[in-house]
Amino acid sequence: MVTAIVGANWGDEGKGKLTDMLGEESDIIVRFQGGSNAGHTIVNDYGKFALHILPSGVFYGHTTNIIGNGVALNIPDIVEELQGLVDRGVPKPRLLVSDRAQIVMPYHKLFDQYEEERLAGKSFGSTKSGIAPFYSDKYAKVGIQVSELFDEDALREKVEGICAQKNVLLKHLYHKPELDVSELMETLADYREKIRPYVCDVSAYLFQAVKEGKNILLEGQLGSLKDPDHGIYPMVTSSSTLAGYGAVGAGIPPYEIKRIVTVVKAYSSAVGAGEFVSEIFGEEADELRRRGGDGGEFGATTGRPRRMGWFDAVASRYGCRIQGATEAALTVLDVLGYLDELPVCVGYEIDGKVTRDFPTTTELKRAKPVYEILPGWKSDICGITEYSKLPENCRRYIEFIEKELEVPIKMVSNGPKRHEIIYR
Ligand code: GDP
């Protein structure tokens, strides 16, 4: 069976922990989009890890971990992350990389940086890992596929074309050093040797695995609101964050994705710029940030403080719908135990009218939150494993959210550790 695990919000919903848990029951774990621009935090017996590019199944001996064709493949990052695991006592994981995945080049990172500099204050809050220039090149058909590393003559011709085009921009728009064909060819030769042991025809491999009834987990990065089509464009990421894209970015039949676990955070947080209707500020935000996640809400990749807000039912219901959620997992609920009252954003007021539907970015800019206030439970629920043992007000909060989401909440995460979970 194929399961997808994806985020309903702005990312950082705690997918890492749940992916790690679902990974235990999986034979194969596949990354199908994004690159090393976001991070999953996983706490297990080996310690605490931030994974950026490797699939979350890398801690298990029984799983095959796959980087699908939809991923922005950063080869040095993969090598470094693999080494980082081995150095900390994790057995070397089984890894396959799609021969159709495209490669993040050093110049993608540079273009990201140069463009942010050029835009100065008007930037998109990119993590500067080259993701936007990478996907731009992919769709402009000047990207480099893994398979192309193995045909040196054709590759050189392509690289010459790339340099001719990019050097115009580097020289005249950014006033930066130009690219050199031989240097890039050397880099690519190095990448070829590094990635060679893992290269695989992934869609053929997965087709066979589906036929054999293997459990396959598609691991999403970021969340619905960062999707380039359905999210808060243009403050989005450059590849689709939706479960539906799992079929494309892994190369499996869309109808095989039977279970879509959509992770919803019990409050809101976001990194980078963009519309965020239920955002809170000042001391109120600082306190939630300090108590949030596992040791504070700071970006796993960048260390940037996350923007904080109350639970947004409008955005989360939309986030679940656009994912095609078959179930929801509510996370980091334990963090909210200190609050006397919990505001929940149940509507957006736009031009004097209240809506429950998540609008386009144009309208979102004018939206004001409409809150309903729920009573707090004022206790530590971390580690409770039975739903009925949760304080009444806590259950009320969960059931209120479930009604708003219109999706069953089957798991409630009440702590960063693996066993801190309630199944319903
Ligand atoms: P992802 O991008 O969705 O994978 O989000 P991360 O897993 O990187 O970020 C979530 C943060 O919250 C990490 O520091 C996790 O260890 C932590 N976390 C996950 N689930 C829970 C939970 O239920 N309670 C608490 N307190 N922390 C959690």
Side-chain angles (χ1 to χ4, degrees):
M1 190 175 85
V2 184
T3 301
I5 178 155
V6 286
N9 309 124
W10 297 263
D12 306 317
E13 296 94 349
K15 292 179 298 297
K17 167 183 164 173
L18 290 165
T19 312
D20 186 41
M21 286 177 45
L22 294 177
E24 193 168 21
E25 305 149 21
S26 307
D27 303 302
I28 300 167
I29 300 172
V30 193
R31 280 280 313 265
F32 60 89
Q33 45 84 233
S36 43
N37 53 329
H40 270 339
T41 313
I42 296 179
V43 183
N44 58 24
D45 295 343
Y46 296 106
K48 181 172 173 176
F49 295 85
L51 293 181
H52 302 294
I53 180 117
L54 291 175
S56 297
V58 289
F59 299 101
Y60 301 111
H62 70 275
T63 59
T64 298
N65 299 278
I66 295 187
I67 307 236
N69 55 278
V71 172
L73 179 71
N74 187 313
I75 294 174
D77 282 357
I78 289 206
V79 172
E80 193 184 317
E81 233 171 79
L82 277 173
Q83 191 57 44
L85 296 184
V86 173
D87 288 348
R88 289 176 63 190
V90 181
K92 189 157 189 232
R94 185 140 34 115
L95 179 71
L96 300 174
V97 174
S98 170
D99 52 5
R100 290 176 183 272
Q102 296 201 10
I103 301 164
V104 179
M105 295 296 291
Y107 53 76
H108 289 134
K109 228 169 149 157
L110 292 175
F111 274 100
D112 228 347
Q113 188 188 318
Y114 298 160
E115 185 61 9
E116 289 266 318
E117 279 171 30
R118 191 180 72 87
L119 290 173
K122 294 196 206 98
S123 77
F124 290 86
S126 150
T127 56
K128 299 190 198 67
S129 21
I131 298 301
F134 165 86
Y135 282 107
S136 306
D137 276 2
K138 176 170 174 175
Y139 295 109
K141 297 177 282 280
V142 288
I144 300 171
Q145 229 180 44
V146 166
S147 63
E148 292 178 275
L149 293 174
F150 300 92
D151 181 347
E152 213 170 317
D153 293 337
L155 185 63
R156 177 173 289 273
E157 204 174 304
K158 183 163 202 172
V159 168
E160 282 165 357
I162 291 171
C163 286
Q165 187 210 40
K166 303 233 175 274
N167 283 345
V168 176
L169 288 174
L170 287 169
K171 187 169 176 190
H172 299 287
L173 182 65
Y174 297 115
H175 312 292
K176 298 286 183 184
E178 292 175 44
L179 301 177
D180 176 69
V181 175
S182 318
E183 206 177 296
L184 285 179
M185 287 303 290
E186 268 172 46
T187 303
L188 286 163
D190 174 49
Y191 286 1
R192 181 183 59 227
E193 294 321 308
K194 284 187 167 134
I195 210 69
R196 191 191 284 276
Y198 311 108
V199 179
C200 168
D201 180 347
V202 161
S203 75
Y205 180 91
L206 289 176
F207 189 71
Q208 189 58 31
V210 168
K211 265 210 264 188
E212 288 168 10
K214 293 266 197 287
N215 280 328
I216 300 171
L217 184 64
L218 302 175
E219 175 181 2
Q221 185 204 41
L222 295 167
S224 302
L225 305 173
K226 293 283 187 181
D227 182 75
D229 284 271
H230 296 282
I232 50 169
Y233 188 84
M235 298 303 181
V236 293
T237 192
S238 304
S239 64
S240 176
T241 57
L242 304 182
Y245 189 73
V248 179
I252 53 165
Y255 54 79
E256 293 292 350
I257 308 174
K258 304 284 190 230
R259 184 180 175 206
I260 301 176
V261 181
T262 306
V263 186
V264 179
K265 194 154 152 162
Y267 54 91
S268 302
S269 75
V271 260
E275 310 312 321
F276 184 177
V277 176
S278 67
E279 184 167 13
I280 54 174
F281 303 92
E283 182 44 42
E284 201 175 38
D286 287 344
E287 173 141 44
L288 186 53
R289 184 179 303 107
R290 210 164 41 238
R291 292 171 177 268
D294 177 23
E297 289 284 357
F298 299 92
T301 299
T302 57
R304 292 186 288 189
R306 291 178 183 151
R307 297 160 66 198
M308 308 302 297
W310 302 125
F311 183 80
D312 184 338
V314 179
S316 302
R317 178 174 48 250
Y318 173 78
C320 284
R321 167 162 72 78
I322 222 74
Q323 289 290 6
T326 58
E327 65 187 271
L330 187 68
T331 58
V332 280
L333 186 64
D334 51 301
V335 160
L336 303 178
Y338 73 99
L339 291 160
D340 295 324
E341 292 184 326
L342 296 98
V344 172
C345 176
V346 292
Y348 290 172
E349 192 193 312
I350 303 169
D351 305 331
K353 275 207 201 104
V354 175
T355 177
R356 290 179 81 237
D357 295 324
F358 193 78
T360 59
T361 315
T362 315
E363 289 187 52
L364 199 56
K365 287 185 202 303
R366 306 196 299 276
K368 307 228 164 22
V370 176
Y371 288 114
E372 199 161 317
I373 310 287
L374 273 71
W377 49 91
K378 300 294 286 178
S379 63
D380 184 7
I381 60 158
C382 193
I384 294 179
T385 52
E386 275 173 60
Y387 187 69
S388 61
K389 300 243 164 84
L390 287 174
E392 194 188 338
N393 283 347
C394 183
R395 278 182 279 135
R396 241 166 103 179
Y397 186 72
I398 297 166
E399 286 156 29
F400 184 88
I401 287 177
E402 184 171 52
K403 211 166 109 252
E404 288 288 321
L405 292 181
E406 298 168 15
V407 174
I409 296 176
K410 297 221 172 138
M411 288 179 267
V412 176
S413 173
N414 58 346
K417 298 206 188 73
R418 299 193 57 193
H419 61 270
E420 291 163 340
I421 188 102
I422 300 167
Y423 293 96
R424 287 176 81 212

